[in-house]
């Protein structure tokens, strides 16, 4: 803090009109909070796949070059010309990055003075920064004994996992299918479903990931790398009655394979032959893009009673309603260190987050690997 007020570094992403991505740390003044606002000194903020989407856009990481200094890094990379029309709205605009995080309230408006000095978690963007101004109503006061590291990933994964379950109930399904099931999000969803008595089919891509989930009590695990994947998936779908899937992969044949297996399971209990297939509705939502290629599937094996769509957290919560969201947030707060605990592969500073070796590591989006940024470290 100086005579002109509070200043802090924030990570920014800008793509120029001629297709050059530039990532940098910028010093910015922190505006005084309005009556209903607070200023949070951000002490921990995770790197989520959705953050990487804003960070890089469609830029090719293999073209990236590091310039600047260790304390003030700058990374530049090329965006393919064919991709520029799809991001026209962000060209030549410097964007903040980071959906969520946690820290200590260092300033507060008159209506939020009771929060001064408290540790809170925040959701709403621009969290890869040393300071963040936010509406007090958008924050979660961390329970006693909970640190900013514990609360940093309080929103995206926990609310997504709970949102899956609420969507299931709202749409009349009784069990779920989830891909990339050994991720931090997948482990949370497994804990929720075990606690709430919900059937969950966990799809993983290796025996090692299957073992990890089995060690956490998961009851239904299917390995997509196994030669009997289709038969095994059909069997557990028949057992659980799952007719709703959430696919983190997005591209490739996975969504179609799930729908086909759901149809095969439904036909096992059909009372007779129907040329159009089972009349039991089957739904798969794509909520991630681990595979950015086309989503492919065959129409024949899935019948006619099916749906394939996209699922995003904020529109889903809006559809569920404010009362439901408040209930879910209260559950997250109560179970931050149990059901919704996140585990991190590495902790890095803001400057280290722009080191190319570190970027390549977190941009792999490997199952079970999650990075945490500590914005107050390494910038002295």
């Amino acid at each position: 803090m100086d005579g002109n007020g509070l200043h802090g570094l924030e990570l920014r992403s800008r793509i120029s009109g001629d297709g050059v991505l530039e990532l940098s740390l910028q010093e910015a003044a922190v505006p005084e909070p309005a009556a209903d606002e607070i200023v949070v000194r951000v002490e921990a903020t995770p790197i989520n796949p959705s953050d990487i989407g804003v960070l890089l856009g469609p830029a090719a990481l293999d073209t990236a070059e590091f310039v600047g200094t260790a304390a003030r890094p700058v990374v530049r990379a090329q965006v393919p010309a064919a991709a520029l029309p799809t991001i026209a709205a962000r060209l030549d605009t410097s964007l903040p990055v980071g959906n969520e995080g946690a820290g200590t309230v260092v300033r507060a408006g008159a209506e939020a003075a009771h929060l001064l000095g408290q540790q809170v978690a925040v959701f709403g963007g621009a969290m890869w920064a040393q300071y963040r101004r936010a509406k007090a109503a958008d924050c979660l006061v961390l329970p006693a004994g909970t640190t900013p590291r514990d609360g940093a990933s309080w929103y995206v994964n926990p609310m997504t996992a709970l949102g899956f379950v609420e969507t299931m109930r709202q749409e009349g399904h009784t069990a779920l299918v989830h891909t990339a099931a050994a991720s931090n999000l997948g482990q949370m969803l497994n804990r929720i479903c075990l606690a709430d008595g919900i059937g969950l089919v966990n799809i993983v891509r290796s025996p090692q990931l299957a073992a990890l989930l089995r060690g956490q009590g998961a009851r239904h695990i299917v390995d997509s790398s196994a030669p009997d994947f289709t038969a095994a998936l059909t069997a557990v779908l028949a057992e659980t009655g799952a007719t709703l899937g959430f696919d983190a992969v997005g591209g490739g044949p996975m969504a179609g394979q799930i729908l086909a297996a759901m149809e095969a399971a439904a036909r096992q209990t059909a009372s007779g032959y129907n040329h159009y297939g089972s009349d039991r509705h089957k739904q798969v939502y794509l909520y991630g893009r681990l595979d950015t290629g086309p989503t492919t599937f065959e129409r024949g094996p899935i019948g006619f009673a099916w749906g394939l769509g996209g699922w995003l957290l904020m529109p889903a919560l809006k559809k569920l309603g404010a009362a439901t969201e408040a209930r879910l947030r209260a559950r997250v707060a109560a179970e931050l260190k149990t059901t919704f605990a996140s585990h991190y592969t590495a902790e890095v500073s803001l400057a280290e987050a722009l080191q190319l070796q570190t970027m390549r590591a977190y941009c792999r989006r490997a199952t079970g690997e999650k990075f945490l940024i500590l914005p107050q470290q390494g910038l002295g």
Side-chain angles (χ1 to χ4, degrees), residues 280-303:
R280 184 186 302 174
H281 183 72
K282 304 161 291 293
Q283 178 72 41
V284 171
Y285 288 114
L286 311 180
Y287 79 94
R289 294 189 295 182
L290 296 177
D291 181 339
T292 58
T295 303
T296 60
F297 59 97
E298 296 181 42
R299 285 286 308 277
I302 64 178

Side-chain angles (χ1 to χ4, degrees), residues 1-363:
M1 192 185 304
D2 58 28
N4 296 320
L6 194 63
H7 290 72
L9 292 172
E10 56 187 28
L11 197 152
R12 310 287 298 194
S13 171
R14 181 181 183 274
I15 298 177
S16 65
D18 57 355
V20 177
L21 167 73
E22 181 170 288
L23 309 175
S24 61
L25 296 183
Q26 303 288 332
E27 185 167 342
V30 182
E32 287 293 323
D36 62 344
E37 292 180 333
I38 58 176
V39 173
V40 178
R41 183 178 66 237
V42 183
E43 293 159 27
T45 175
I47 299 178
N48 292 312
S50 54
D51 300 324
I52 297 172
V54 176
L55 181 73
L56 297 180
L61 188 58
D62 59 1
T63 68
E65 60 175 352
F66 181 89
V67 296
T69 67
R72 295 293 186 271
V74 176
V75 173
R76 295 194 182 105
Q78 296 296 317
V79 175
L84 292 177
T86 68
I87 57 167
R90 70 166 287 182
L91 294 179
D92 295 315
T93 301
S94 179
L95 300 180
V97 186
N99 279 310
E100 60 186 336
T104 303
V105 179
V106 294
R107 290 187 177 180
E111 297 172 11
H114 62 288
L115 293 175
L116 196 61
Q118 298 227 43
Q119 292 184 326
V120 299
V122 185
F123 174 79
M127 293 302 299
W128 291 12
Q130 290 186 292
Y131 296 94
R132 171 69 157 85
R133 186 178 62 164
K135 293 284 188 182
D138 293 337
C139 301
L140 176 77
V141 176
L142 296 180
T146 305
T147 68
R149 281 180 174 86
D150 298 325
S153 295
W154 76 285
Y155 200 91
V156 174
N157 282 349
M159 295 294 281
T160 296
L162 289 170
F164 289 169
V165 173
E166 293 300 321
T167 298
M168 177 199 77
R169 290 172 174 150
Q170 185 181 68
E171 297 187 0
H173 302 274
T174 58
L176 297 169
V177 182
H178 184 227
T179 67
S183 63
N184 270 270
L185 168 59
Q187 293 176 44
M188 288 180 191
L189 183 60
N190 179 56
R191 292 192 286 268
I192 293 168
C193 290
L194 288 174
D196 295 3
I198 297 168
L200 174 65
V201 177
N202 299 278
I203 298 178
V204 297
R205 55 183 175 82
S206 74
Q208 292 77 15
L209 296 176
L212 184 152
L213 281 179
R214 195 171 294 112
Q216 297 184 12
R219 294 172 183 153
H220 306 287
I221 307 169
V222 187
D223 179 1
S224 62
S225 69
D228 65 342
F229 170 61
T230 299
L233 178 59
T234 302
V236 293
L237 290 173
E239 181 180 351
T240 60
T243 50
L244 176 63
F246 291 92
D247 179 27
V249 179
M254 179 58 71
Q257 290 173 318
I258 294 170
L259 287 170
M262 287 177 176
E263 174 65 9
R267 289 186 180 186
Q268 291 180 10
T269 58
S271 57
Y273 172 74
N274 185 332
H275 175 68
Y276 297 103
S278 166
D279 60 3
R280 184 186 302 174
H281 183 72
K282 304 161 291 293
Q283 178 72 41
V284 171
Y285 288 114
L286 311 180
Y287 79 94
R289 294 189 295 182
L290 296 177
D291 181 339
T292 58
T295 303
T296 60
F297 59 97
E298 296 181 42
R299 285 286 308 277
I302 64 178
F304 277 77
W306 59 275
L308 182 65
W311 192 97
L312 287 175
L313 177 58
M314 299 310 293
L317 290 177
K318 184 176 181 181
K319 185 176 180 180
L320 291 169
T324 297
E325 181 175 358
R327 173 170 55 83
L328 300 186
R329 287 174 60 150
R331 180 171 180 178
V332 173
E335 302 175 31
L336 260 179
K337 299 184 76 170
T338 53
T339 306
F340 303 108
S342 287
H343 305 284
Y344 300 99
T345 305
E347 298 179 351
V348 299
S349 69
L350 278 171
E352 289 168 341
L354 292 184
Q355 297 291 328
L356 289 181
Q357 183 177 357
T358 303
M359 292 184 65
R360 293 188 184 101
Y362 63 69
C363 287

